[in-house]
Amino acid sequence: VIRNFLRASLNALFLGATWVPAALSGFGRVKPVYTFFAHTCALVPGGPGDYLRSAYYLLTLLEFHMSSRVSFGSFFAHPEARVGRRVYVGSYCILGSVNIGAGTQIASSVQILSGHHQHERDSVGAVHHGGKFVTVSIGPDCWIGAGSIVMADVGARTTIGAGSIVTRSIPSDAVAVGSPARVIRSREMSSADLALGSQAPKSPAQA
Ligand SMILES: CC(C)(COP(=O)(O)OP(=O)(O)OC[C@H]1O[C@@H](n2cnc3c(N)ncnc32)[C@H](O)[C@@H]1OP(=O)(O)O)[C@@H](O)C(=O)NCCC(=O)NCCS
């Protein structure tokens, strides 16, 4: 009871501390201001930093829960993100437009990109802004290994090995590793599929 009371008090304290920065950012709608405070919050160390980031993202992202934690050095580059309950984000992660299901664990130095094609080239080959930003979905109870780069959906209860690069959707209940990430184990794949080394289905993952 005392622990819950203390946690609720700390949540209230840090919600109060982040209310003004969140309001100045139009609760996530004024992008440059949102980004300034997201970067500032990322630099606050230890427990106070964890509470501060949770409070700021509760007030600015499309969805966030105080039971989720975002560690030192990590930030959401876009406020168009949804984060379920009990999500853990390790240190030094950069997260784009993403939906993260409840209970998912994201290790350190993970990048979740807003799809594959944020820039485009014109007829002479110059690179420009104005590409396509898509929302990547990571299902509930996933484990995303350290240093991974994820640019496509990951299904529920799936593990992505450390250092993997997810370029195509990975189904639920799978373990996928490598660059590009391939399924090495799945409850849904037959042994014949595994023997052939077949790739994960390309349909969007179910969150
Ligand atoms: C994905 C993972 C869970 C798989 O563990 P596992 O089920 O014990 O798998 P194994 O070690 O038996 O490896 C199976 C095969 O996949 C390969 N493999 C495992 N992890 C890999 C990875 N991250 N990248 C590339 N290949 C990998 C192994 O080399 C092995 O290949 P082989 O059969 O040709 O020898 C684990 O390797 C991993 O990457 N964990 C993430 C750790 C992490 O990021 N921790 C951060 C703190 S939370």
Side-chain angles (χ1 to χ4, degrees), residues 127-195:
V127 70
H128 294 285
H129 288 291
K132 210 166 60 176
F133 284 71
V134 302
T135 300
V136 164
S137 285
I138 300 193
D141 294 306
C142 290
W143 179 23
I144 311 295
S148 306
I149 298 177
V150 179
M151 45 184 140
D153 295 347
V154 175
R157 300 170 300 278
T158 280
T159 298
I160 302 296
S164 299
I165 303 190
V166 176
T167 59
R168 299 275 181 258
S169 295
I170 302 292
S172 299
D173 298 299
V175 178
V177 300
S179 172
R182 309 269 191 224
V183 173
I184 56 166
R185 254 198 327 273
S186 167
R187 281 203 288 250
E188 287 151 10
M189 284 176 85
S190 68
S191 47
D193 285 335
L194 287 169

Side-chain angles (χ1 to χ4, degrees), residues 103-141:
T104 280
Q105 307 280 312
I106 297 179
S108 295
S109 301
V110 169
Q111 291 201 41
I112 302 178
L113 313 183
S114 310
H116 304 225
H117 300 292
Q118 292 83 358
H119 299 290
E120 53 190 21
R121 291 189 185 277
D122 62 18
S123 54
V124 292
V127 70
H128 294 285
H129 288 291
K132 210 166 60 176
F133 284 71
V134 302
T135 300
V136 164
S137 285
I138 300 193
D141 294 306

